Amino acid sequence: MHEMAITQSVVDAVCEHAEGRRVHAVTVEVGALCAVVPDAMRFCFEVATETTVAEDAELILVEIPGVAACRTCGAEFRLPDPILLCPCGSADVEIRSGRELRIRSMEVSEACAQPAAAATTPPR
């Protein structure tokens, strides 16, 4: 299951960028052609975030459809799977979308501010 390795990389990047702040939500774009099963990624996210700043965070997956353009007939069409074949029968196609796999955003807690007295009181 390669979803675990991919999801672990996402969690590692999120935790690093969170810089110790609690992560509440992570939005990831997943292309239809990148061979990642969204339900498997959700399960792996739950496992991979245990005991991290992202534990209990919501994983929001935005599925990007596969779209290609045919160089033979000029048609643009959806690709529901990695079979790159235009409805006209040509295999000379250019993939326009569907290979995405990227962290779009993350929601984190604000860093805790020092109490006002701590900022004005000299250390002893």
Side-chain angles (χ1 to χ4, degrees), residues 23-41:
V23 178
H24 299 284
V26 178
T27 302
V28 178
E29 292 180 345
V30 179
L33 307 176
C34 72
V36 170
V37 177
D39 286 339
M41 190 170 192

Side-chain angles (χ1 to χ4, degrees), residues 20-81:
R21 296 172 290 174
R22 171 67 57 196
V23 178
H24 299 284
V26 178
T27 302
V28 178
E29 292 180 345
V30 179
L33 307 176
C34 72
V36 170
V37 177
D39 286 339
M41 190 170 192
R42 284 184 186 92
F43 172 79
C44 293
F45 186 81
E46 189 175 319
V47 172
T49 57
E50 288 178 358
T51 71
T52 71
V53 294
E55 186 170 17
D56 298 324
E58 177 185 11
L59 175 63
I60 303 162
L61 296 179
V62 177
E63 296 182 50
I64 307 296
V67 176
C70 180
R71 292 184 183 107
T72 303
C73 73
E76 187 170 285
F77 57 98
R78 286 198 173 221
L79 290 168
D81 52 47

Side-chain angles (χ1 to χ4, degrees), residues 14 16 31-32 37 45 48-49 51 62 76 88 94 100 106 109 112 114 118:
V14 164
E16 180 180 332
V37 177
F45 186 81
T49 57
T51 71
V62 177
E76 187 170 285
C88 78
E94 173 190 353
E100 297 83 356
M106 55 190 258
S109 297
C112 294
Q114 280 189 330

